[in-house]
Amino acid sequence: MKPKLSDLRAFLSRADTLLFALCLTASVLGVIIISSATRSYNNATYVYVQIAALLIGIALYVLFTVIDTDIIADQWPLLLVAEVGLLLLLIPFGSEGDTGNRSWIRFLGIGIQPSEIVKVIYIVLSAKHISFLRDYRNLSSPLSVFQIAAHFGVLFVLILGISSDLGNALIFFFIFLIMMFVSGLRLYWFVFGGAGVAVMVPLAWNHVLSSRQKERILAPYDPTIDPQGYGVNWEPNQAKLALSAGRLTGQGLYHGTQTQSNESIDSKHADYIFAAIGEEWGMVGCVLVILLLTAIILRCVYVGIHSRSTFGMLVCFGVAAAFSFQTFVNIGMCLGLTPVIGVALPFFSYGGSSLFTSFAAMGLVSGIRYKPKPSQYTSFADY
């Protein structure tokens, strides 16, 4: 019994227990608000799925904390096949459901979103590749930049082309952008990249995006789009009403007018969970959620800054980038400040894939802090 207790104490002293506590607190609060947001559906499945995903997520957090991230990254050929293969599975097995995006694979009543898993794989692979080029090659050479950009570009095109999931595609873009910036890439490449984006955006707007996607993007800034508020602006307007109705302390759990209605916000447990939080927990609840997510993001940045390797730093900043983008866009959607592009609020929005992969990503960050490596792995060099 003593060895087991000592192992547990050693794990707790080396793992990032603060990060775990923050993630667990956010997830538990998420389950509570989901139970309220789905109460009118008379279906407890949502809560059961979220709890199951939370338990899986906790296990993944522990697993990725103790498994050396460098060793995971060393399996890059398998990871590369996995990230592309998971997205390609959407071609024969993809399902739209009620999202409008062909981004889910459903079996036995369970839905998996491959892009959530691929997001974590992409962070690890990109960190591995960028750190190698930075430490052993010339990161700012045209060949190096082409290799890294091609990796991102293939995934971006696959996500947009197969699932039309603009929200997740933009998350990958933000991860790519932040990881390249913190890696020390010469600034002139960002100027060239910005020029390239300026050229590609009109082409994508005219030939890739659907009219529905264009309306969603322009709606927050163009009052001539759905002026009556019965189309693309319906849910954002209802979300703003819910937030304003919550005032300081909210209407109370299970008592929100919009949250308990089935005729206002269809995605009140998912994309618009922040509106439910605002209505039932008020400004106090909204500030608590923002502080929790900000603390999680800053903790990732802190671990990255104090990492002993370029690879570890890039993993942490990649995870922080993903969560920063999702938090900003999701809350902005509910406030009517950003386009409605189907981005989940980390740890709070309903979605098993999102929740357990979020814990897996945080486990990678905890694993960076968990070093130094066990003696049997000292032959694996830091990148």
Side-chain angles (χ1 to χ4, degrees), residues 37-58:
T38 58
R39 187 185 188 189
S40 60
Y41 299 156
N42 294 318
N43 186 351
T45 302
Y46 296 97
V47 176
Y48 295 151
V49 168
Q50 199 73 356
I51 292 174
L54 174 56
L55 296 176
I56 294 172
I58 292 172

Side-chain angles (χ1 to χ4, degrees), residues 292-312:
L292 271 173
L293 291 173
T294 301
I296 291 170
I297 293 166
L298 290 179
R299 185 62 180 176
C300 293
V301 172
Y302 175 85
V303 174
I305 291 174
H306 291 82
S307 170
R308 298 185 302 113
S309 68
T310 302
F311 172 73

Side-chain angles (χ1 to χ4, degrees), residues 70 74 127-128 131-132 135-136 308-312 381-383:
D70 285 315
D74 249 14
K128 167 81 171 179
S131 60
F132 175 79
D135 295 343
Y136 300 103
R308 298 185 302 113
S309 68
T310 302
F311 172 73
D382 282 340
Y383 289 91

Side-chain angles (χ1 to χ4, degrees), residues 314-334:
L314 288 171
V315 168
C316 293
F317 273 86
V319 172
F323 281 73
S324 298
F325 183 85
Q326 289 182 239
T327 300
F328 175 78
V329 173
N330 181 276
I331 294 176
M333 282 163 43
C334 294

Side-chain angles (χ1 to χ4, degrees), residues 3-274:
K4 292 183 179 180
L5 289 175
S6 63
D7 289 345
L8 178 61
R9 283 195 294 267
F11 171 80
L12 293 176
S13 66
R14 292 171 58 191
D16 199 329
T17 51
L18 173 59
L19 181 62
F20 176 75
L22 291 170
C23 296
L24 184 61
T25 301
S27 300
V28 171
L29 291 176
V31 170
I32 293 172
I33 195 64
I34 287 170
S35 72
S36 178
T38 58
R39 187 185 188 189
S40 60
Y41 299 156
N42 294 318
N43 186 351
T45 302
Y46 296 97
V47 176
Y48 295 151
V49 168
Q50 199 73 356
I51 292 174
L54 174 56
L55 296 176
I56 294 172
I58 292 172
L60 290 175
Y61 186 95
V62 174
L63 178 65
F64 284 112
T65 294
V66 298
I67 295 180
D68 195 291
T69 317
D70 285 315
I71 297 175
I72 297 174
D74 249 14
Q75 307 304 314
W76 64 266
L78 294 177
L79 294 175
L80 191 61
V81 171
E83 67 173 2
V84 174
L86 283 169
L87 293 177
L88 291 178
L89 283 175
L90 289 170
I91 296 176
F93 303 114
S95 171
E96 290 187 4
D98 55 359
T99 65
N101 299 323
R102 190 181 176 84
S103 54
W104 296 87
I105 295 176
R106 302 186 185 277
F107 58 94
L108 300 177
I110 299 174
I112 299 294
Q113 194 170 10
S115 60
E116 292 290 344
I117 302 172
V118 172
K119 188 192 311 175
V120 179
I121 299 175
Y122 173 70
I123 290 173
V124 173
L125 281 177
S126 292
K128 167 81 171 179
H129 195 185
I130 294 172
S131 60
F132 175 79
L133 292 173
R134 173 179 163 171
D135 295 343
Y136 300 103
R137 299 289 189 272
N138 179 5
L139 177 62
S140 293
S141 72
L143 179 60
S144 295
V145 174
F146 173 78
Q147 291 174 1
I148 302 168
H151 180 200
F152 156 73
V154 168
L155 296 183
F156 188 86
V157 169
L158 284 176
I159 292 171
L160 270 185
I162 297 174
S163 65
S164 300
D165 191 344
L166 179 61
N168 260 307
L170 290 177
I171 294 173
F172 278 77
F173 176 71
F174 195 70
I175 294 170
F176 165 74
L177 194 64
I178 294 301
M179 292 180 76
M180 293 298 285
F181 180 77
V182 300
S183 67
L185 182 70
R186 296 293 180 85
L187 292 180
Y188 58 77
W189 279 112
F190 293 95
V191 176
F192 294 152
V197 170
V199 172
M200 294 301 297
V201 165
L203 295 175
W205 184 266
N206 293 321
H207 303 289
V208 178
L209 298 181
S210 66
S211 57
R212 177 74 171 178
Q213 287 174 317
K214 294 176 184 178
E215 287 182 351
R216 284 179 174 271
I217 292 172
L218 295 176
Y221 321 112
D222 187 348
T224 63
I225 296 177
D226 188 26
Q228 302 300 320
Y230 293 115
V232 71
N233 283 326
W234 172 257
E235 284 193 317
N237 288 342
Q238 297 302 308
K240 286 185 283 187
L241 286 174
L243 284 166
S244 62
R247 297 182 180 272
L248 181 62
T249 58
Q251 298 180 359
L253 191 65
Y254 303 110
H255 290 92
T257 304
Q258 305 281 24
T259 304
Q260 300 305 318
S261 170
N262 284 339
E263 299 178 356
S264 56
I265 310 174
D266 291 335
S267 301
K268 56 189 176 179
H269 59 299
D271 294 348
Y272 290 99
I273 193 73
F274 191 74

